[in-house]
Amino acid sequence: MSGSWKITLPCTRAEAEAIDAIGELPFDAVLMTTEVVLDDAEAWRLDAYVEHRPDAALLAALADLAPSAAGTEPDIEQLGDEDWLTMSQAGLEPLHVGRFFVHTGDAEPPAGSRAFHIAAGRAFGTGHHETTSGCLAMLDTLASDGRSFANVADIGTGTGLLAFAAVALWPEAAVTATDIDPIAIDVTRDNAAANAIAVGDGAGAVALIVADGTLDDGIVARAPYDLVIANILAGPLVSMAPELAAIAAPNATILLAGLLETQRETVVAAYHECGCTLETVDRRGDWSVLRLTAGAERFVPSAPFDPKGRDGWALDL
């Protein structure tokens, strides 16, 4: 290997949000967007980290993600043989949300906090994006309000952070963490070990399952869940509404994230059709985190689930 490479282009906040909402990339890279000038929607930056010398096709694909940078030559830097993904996230500041303290490197947690070390790695979810930090805050609020849960599902777990938070808040709960990406489940297993989180079945442990949505016998066998968390994107949240509602217990709490505020009505409508009621919205910038309550009777879908609906990872709603 000739070393790692970093490609940098200017972009706008709108472009950065669109980039953050991309699911599976058509090329092998890790993308990071950063606000360069505080509260300036035009002054953002796109950094792409790759393990090979960027070719014309890759540069063109990156340019398509930041059309405002048309005519600007990208800054291309060879990084050497370092762990390029770790470098892309190593500079993230620690995050303090409620009782949780999330860091990617060496940091001293505040007294009384529950610290999680989420290493810069190959999966989304260090807690720094508004959707993940919003879910942490909402989970913290539920616990502060005296709510308790015995059976939790974290659909699209990424790094496992939200599943770990559920175990920390409700140590007697059984938690199931799933992701469509096997790499994410490997990362979650590593992060669990680093944070002294038990992996396995039963109370106080996280069961790890590679699955497309809820399409796995292990997920269904553990249902119904009294807390369902899904921090993904608006497109799959809509297409997966019947199956997420189907694994929820009557009156279960459902947390949904990964959607823009402009997409909220469409997402809420999909879950309303499945008997769910919107309770709370936590808006963070252009993103929203939703807390819903499942119907008083367990939802029974009227048709088989269609995994083709997952194609909407970057659906413009």
Side-chain angles (χ1 to χ4, degrees):
M1 188 177 76
S2 59
S4 305
W5 296 75
K6 175 183 175 184
I7 305 99
T8 301
L9 279 169
C11 67
T12 66
R13 184 175 69 181
E15 290 166 348
E17 290 170 349
I19 291 166
D20 288 342
I22 295 173
E24 184 176 351
L25 291 169
F27 48 85
D28 187 14
V30 167
L31 306 182
M32 300 288 293
T33 56
T34 307
E35 186 177 25
V36 177
V37 179
L38 186 64
D39 294 330
D40 186 343
E42 303 303 312
W44 284 65
R45 184 182 76 239
L46 166 63
D47 294 315
Y49 294 82
V50 297
E51 289 186 300
H52 54 81
R53 180 187 295 273
D55 56 20
L58 174 61
L59 294 177
L62 292 173
D64 288 343
L65 298 177
S68 65
T72 301
E73 286 294 321
D75 181 18
I76 302 174
E77 178 184 1
Q78 185 172 10
L79 302 175
D81 293 329
E82 298 91 343
D83 182 339
W84 52 282
L85 183 51
T86 298
M87 290 183 63
S88 74
Q89 296 186 1
L92 292 175
E93 292 294 323
L95 184 75
H96 195 187
V97 179
R99 72 197 73 191
F100 300 117
F101 182 77
V102 185
H103 59 106
T104 61
D106 295 327
E108 185 66 29
S113 66
R114 176 53 167 102
F116 291 115
H117 178 266
I118 304 296
R122 297 163 292 168
F124 174 82
T126 58
H128 290 76
H129 192 276
E130 288 90 341
T131 59
T132 311
S133 61
C135 286
L136 285 173
M138 200 164 281
L139 290 170
D140 184 71
T141 298
L142 286 168
S144 296
D145 290 345
R147 299 288 298 277
S148 62
F149 302 97
N151 197 20
V152 180
D154 178 17
I155 308 298
T157 194
T159 60
L161 176 58
L162 299 180
F164 303 162
V167 170
L169 293 170
W170 302 287
E172 299 304 313
V175 179
T176 302
T178 81
D179 204 288
I180 192 173
D181 185 357
I183 292 176
I185 294 301
D186 289 341
V187 168
T188 297
R189 183 177 291 104
D190 292 342
N191 285 334
N195 290 281
I197 300 292
V199 172
D201 297 326
V206 178
L208 303 180
I209 299 176
V210 178
D212 183 355
T214 66
L215 304 181
D216 183 273
D217 291 343
I219 299 172
V220 175
R222 291 174 173 81
Y225 301 92
D226 52 3
L227 174 60
V228 177
I229 307 164
N231 179 20
I232 41 181
L233 292 171
L237 284 177
V238 170
S239 66
M240 292 167 60
E243 64 194 82
L244 292 182
I247 65 170
N251 301 309
T253 296
I254 300 175
L255 302 187
L256 304 178
L259 60 139
L260 296 168
E261 172 62 18
T262 55
Q263 300 167 325
R264 173 162 60 96
E265 289 187 7
T266 303
V267 174
V268 170
Y271 285 81
H272 180 75
E273 291 181 3
C274 301
C276 302
T277 302
L278 178 65
E279 302 289 349
T280 301
V281 179
D282 182 358
R283 183 169 180 181
R284 295 177 173 244
D286 293 327
W287 301 86
S288 290
V289 179
L290 312 180
R291 177 167 65 84
L292 303 95
T293 299
E297 296 183 2
R298 190 170 174 188
F299 177 73
V300 178
S302 59
F305 302 140
D306 180 10
K308 292 181 180 179
R310 311 292 192 273
D311 293 341
W313 283 105
L315 186 63
D316 183 7
L317 297 175

